[in-house]
Amino acid sequence: MNIEYKIKAVSDYIQLHLDDELNIDLLCEIAHLSKFHFHRIFSSYTGITLAKYIQICRLKRASFQLAFDLDRKIIDIAFQAGFESPEAFTRAFKRCFDQTPSTFREEPDWQFWHQQFNFILPKIEKNMIVNIVEKSSEKIAYIRHHGAPERVYETAAKFIEWRKTTGLSPIKTSHTYGIPYSDPELTSAGHFVFDIAGQIDQEVPENEFGVSTASLPAGKYAVVRHFGSHDQLKDSVLVFRKWLPEQNYEIGDFPIYFHYLNFVHEVNEHELITDIYLLLKDKK
């Protein structure tokens, strides 16, 4: 097992056991390395200590719960994150994100938040199955995000509020989509556009949130299922690049889009499931 696989095995185990007491001896056993060598290798490869990685994974989950699960009490979030008291949780959260949990809940600074996850984890290529499906047209309500991709969660919060306020496109029973119009790594912040959308069965009335009506086009789609963090969605999108040249199809006239089957404030990141759709058309 090379170093990348050792680090990936340990990071995956941590994600799967965020609610457990993570024993260093066990993690070193998973990596098949001594404590001294594993700590040195992990820090050298990732740019972050093992202890810091464990804590930031727990605080990342806590931050999603604070921002999007407003009915959950901060004290409950603190205990789930492994802290013995709300005070200890507040100190650690503020050191990491420069906001207290209560301030973050009221007005999260998503741009600064994103900057705290600049460590490196191995990318292990997976064999992914591409399926072809036929879809009928689907009416959606959408809100358009313009600007820095790091601030998409601000727009998502507005869309969630619209859903709650109007009762249209209820989050528990309606599909939820993300529609990027460009690659955030290749697009300047001022030109990045991303729609957040939900399934509806009627036109969207005029509203203060900026939510409008549109539709997802009918047609033949290539679909892959992505498991895990939304931060790695791009890696799964690249599967289409290898798959498409061998097919009798071209890319259709609509962006790739994401169907979110669950949400980061409800499940741990490794439990996230996202279907990625690529509209196809026959080669000429």
Side-chain angles (χ1 to χ4, degrees):
M1 186 186 296
N2 64 27
I3 294 302
E4 284 82 5
Y5 278 94
K6 290 175 186 288
I7 293 173
K8 184 71 164 58
V10 171
S11 63
D12 286 350
Y13 183 89
I14 290 168
Q15 289 289 344
L16 286 165
H17 297 86
L18 283 180
D19 294 326
D20 300 340
E21 184 176 345
L22 291 165
N23 182 283
I24 294 297
D25 291 329
L26 175 60
L27 296 178
C28 292
E29 184 179 327
I30 292 168
H32 302 290
L33 290 168
S34 68
K35 285 185 185 179
F36 172 77
H37 283 98
F38 181 64
H39 279 291
R40 179 176 57 81
I41 290 169
F42 189 91
S43 298
S44 176
Y45 188 97
T46 65
I48 189 173
T49 66
L50 179 62
K52 179 66 174 176
Y53 175 73
I54 293 170
Q55 184 180 82
I56 205 167
C57 287
R58 287 171 170 161
L59 290 176
K60 186 178 185 181
R61 179 180 63 178
S63 61
F64 286 130
Q65 293 169 341
L66 287 166
F68 298 116
D69 191 355
L70 301 183
D71 294 331
R72 191 180 301 215
K73 295 179 180 178
I74 292 178
I75 189 171
D76 294 333
I77 295 173
F79 289 145
Q80 188 183 10
F83 292 89
E84 295 182 354
S85 69
E87 292 77 17
F89 174 60
T90 296
R91 288 193 297 271
F93 195 93
K94 192 171 191 306
R95 277 197 305 269
C96 189
F97 301 123
D98 202 32
Q99 289 184 287
T100 64
S102 57
T103 303
F104 185 88
R105 167 162 276 181
E106 292 171 4
E107 192 173 356
D109 184 348
W110 288 115
Q111 282 196 296
F112 184 84
W113 180 90
H114 274 282
Q115 295 168 12
Q116 309 319 302
F117 303 98
N118 56 2
F119 50 83
I120 299 169
L121 290 176
K123 293 182 179 180
I124 308 298
E125 189 171 338
K126 301 175 183 177
N127 292 322
M128 301 186 72
I129 298 172
V130 180
N131 293 308
I132 297 178
V133 300
E134 291 278 355
K135 282 179 63 70
S136 55
S137 178
E138 184 174 342
K139 186 177 288 187
I140 56 171
Y142 76 96
I143 186 169
R144 178 152 292 176
H145 173 84
H146 287 275
E150 294 84 4
R151 302 185 68 175
V152 165
Y153 288 131
E154 294 178 16
T155 306
K158 292 179 183 177
F159 189 68
I160 291 170
E161 186 61 24
W162 171 82
R163 280 178 142 174
K164 290 180 177 178
T165 301
T166 64
L168 301 174
S169 188
I171 195 168
K172 293 293 185 183
T173 57
S174 304
H175 297 165
T176 300
Y177 299 105
I179 310 169
Y181 288 87
S182 59
D183 184 339
E185 295 181 8
L186 303 176
T187 308
S188 66
H191 293 90
F192 181 69
V193 178
F194 188 96
D195 288 349
I196 299 160
Q199 178 188 26
I200 52 171
D201 55 13
Q202 63 185 75
E203 294 292 315
V204 175
E206 187 174 340
N207 60 87
E208 61 182 318
F209 297 93
V211 176
S212 303
T213 307
S215 62
L216 299 176
K220 186 174 292 184
Y221 287 84
V223 188
V224 295
R225 175 157 289 185
H226 173 90
F227 294 95
S229 173
H230 293 164
D231 296 339
Q232 279 79 56
L233 279 170
K234 182 179 179 180
D235 297 335
S236 294
V237 169
L238 292 176
V239 170
F240 293 130
R241 182 181 294 177
K242 293 182 178 180
W243 174 84
L244 194 59
E246 301 176 359
Q247 312 302 315
N248 292 317
Y249 301 110
E250 298 176 346
I251 297 175
D253 299 321
F254 195 78
I256 284 176
Y257 65 86
F258 309 123
H259 177 196
Y260 306 114
L261 278 74
N262 51 16
F263 304 100
V264 290
H265 62 282
E266 297 177 336
V267 300
N268 293 337
E269 276 196 295
H270 72 275
E271 298 173 304
L272 289 170
I273 305 173
T274 309
D275 284 341
I276 307 173
Y277 285 83
L278 171 67
L279 183 63
L280 303 171
K281 61 182 180 182
D282 293 330
K283 281 185 178 177
K284 296 179 181 179

